[in-house]
Amino acid sequence: MTPPHPSADKSVALVTLGCTRNEVDSEELAGRLLAEGWRLVDDASEADVAVVNTCGFVEQAKKDSIDALLEASDLKGEGGRTQKVVAVGCLAERYGKELADQLPEADAVLGFDSYRDMSTHLQTILAGGHVESHTPGDRRTLLPLTPVERQQGSASVALPGHGDPRPDLDDDVPTPASGPRVIRARLDGRPWAPLKIASGCDRRCSFCAIPMFRGAFLSRRPADIVAEGRWLAEQGVKELFLVSENSTSYGKDLGDLALLEKLLPELTAIEGIERVRVSYLQPAEIRPGLLRAMADTPGVVPYYDISFQHASEPLLRSMRRFGSREAFLELLGRVRADAPEAGIRCNVIVGFPGETEADLDELEAFLTEARLDVVGVFGYSDEDGTEAEGYVGKLAPEVVAERLDRFTRLVEELNAQRAEERVGDHVEVLVEEIDDEDGSVVGRAAFQGPDVDGVTIVRVLGDAPAPQVGDLVRAVVVGTEGIDLVAEPR
């Protein structure tokens, strides 16, 4: 069956906040809506319905999501096209009816279970009808407790970004020229794209609410991942960015913890794909075989996104995590033994309940010794329903703010020093942007992740032809601007 033509009578804009996993979810929603005849537009002010894909990770992300919903709602009173605003995503899944009650400006608050029927819901809302707001629940209870049993029970569970189809959409969803169906539509022209390999998390970190609203860990089947990778390559994507809540758990529910190592060569072999990047590695689960595969598989970039969170062993145990400064430094030594040019990033939390000056000294010593390329620093805040919410020893907000400022300044200095160590290195830069005004070329070296890890600015010398977006440019690093690199073509 030929997919229905998009109708000019109904248009939708998807506004995405938060992480790259949310970006995948938005593109799957876009694919479903496009298949149902909706016209996709970039600007919410030009859409009949603005669908805001929210983030519910930490307090600031929640505020940003609510601000985005209010901004979209303001469009309804400006005499433009926008008629309705719908909240989806993690904040909507996490709070549902509570969010709807507190934010009447949103015309609906829909959870993950609504994604398969999103077109029907939006048409109902546009017609003045009512769609019941989502009732939150612990999504960890939706799948069997034993990982090996989960694949059998997953068919009836909504898994955003996994491409699980509605039966009545089978023939209508756009398909690649060959191979399995892919439910996705690109919402940008970037030469890289996130590709979801799993959803959910089985870890029980005391500060984190993600497992409650994202559910238990579930791997996508390799054939589906490769099919989507091929489809993305057909759309002009050069770099696949593998995303999940915990990539080091990939394959455990499929009976093979080494499955990611086997998947990587299949993805790098896809015609048109130049790079494959792995994100979000749990240090307690990193296996020597995975490190070797990442270092030895041509096309897999030397990029290690490792979730350390802290370096004090007692505090990590209070976080329900494992590790220490010594253990983490030993792990980094193994990473660099296999990949001397590795780019390594992590996030850390300061101000956790009970954190002492001795804990901070341990963290500072680790960060100073580790030579990390990028460190994201977060101040602790209570998250509803987490174990740490009930901890004693909470620090005053001003103390948390002071520690956040202190360590932010520290890592800015350390990361800038690490960038300076790169001067003289030969790099290959994926061009992502060319400034229309001054012609400056901006991209990323292999060890730089997208969006938050710094960029490489390529100075095109003399009359040399200017590269195009999507080109890979060989260059030498000649300087730095903070964590950003400045390079000249070889």
Side-chain angles (χ1 to χ4, degrees), residues 359-426:
D359 295 325
L360 292 175
D361 290 343
E362 195 75 355
L363 177 59
E364 182 172 347
F366 167 69
L367 293 173
T368 302
E369 294 178 64
R371 296 171 52 244
L372 302 171
D373 291 81
V374 179
V375 180
V377 184
F378 294 86
Y380 171 82
S381 61
D382 281 338
E383 289 299 317
D384 296 335
T386 60
E387 180 182 351
E389 185 185 21
Y391 280 6
V392 297
K394 299 282 179 64
L395 303 177
E398 58 269 23
V399 174
V400 176
E402 184 277 327
R403 293 181 179 187
L404 176 62
D405 178 67
R406 168 183 163 187
F407 274 83
T408 297
R409 287 186 283 109
L410 172 66
V411 300
E412 284 176 352
E413 179 181 349
L414 293 173
N415 294 162
Q417 291 174 4
R418 176 65 180 135
E420 290 172 1
E421 294 178 12
R422 300 279 188 184
V423 173
D425 287 359
H426 291 251

Side-chain angles (χ1 to χ4, degrees), residues 20 23 27 184 186 188-195 232 236-243 275 277 430-432 444 449-452 469-470:
T20 48
E23 292 181 19
E27 293 199 345
R184 187 168 178 174
R186 295 303 312 281
D188 58 61
R190 300 177 307 193
W192 67 274
L195 175 57
L232 288 167
V237 169
K238 299 292 185 67
E239 178 181 305
L240 300 177
F241 186 38
L242 307 187
V243 299
R275 292 176 172 177
R277 185 179 304 275
L430 176 64
V431 177
E432 295 185 343
R444 288 179 294 111
D451 290 341
V452 293
V469 171

Side-chain angles (χ1 to χ4, degrees), residues 169-184:
L169 278 185
D170 279 9
D171 294 330
D172 292 343
V173 174
T175 62
S178 61
R181 175 186 61 258
V182 171
I183 306 174
R184 187 168 178 174

Side-chain angles (χ1 to χ4, degrees), residues 4 13 62 65 108 118 148 173 178 185 249 257 273 310 318 342 347 352 361 379 382 384 414 419 430 432:
K62 298 175 195 174
S65 294
M118 188 59 66
V148 293
V173 174
S178 61
S249 279
L257 260 177
I273 296 300
H310 211 281
S318 184
N347 293 326
F352 191 79
D361 290 343
D382 281 338
D384 296 335
L414 293 173
L430 176 64
E432 295 185 343

Side-chain angles (χ1 to χ4, degrees), residues 260-262 264-265 288-298 300 338:
L260 182 55
E261 292 95 298
K262 300 169 185 176
L264 292 175
L290 177 59
L291 293 182
R292 286 194 299 271
M294 292 176 65
D296 296 343
T297 305
V300 176
D338 288 334

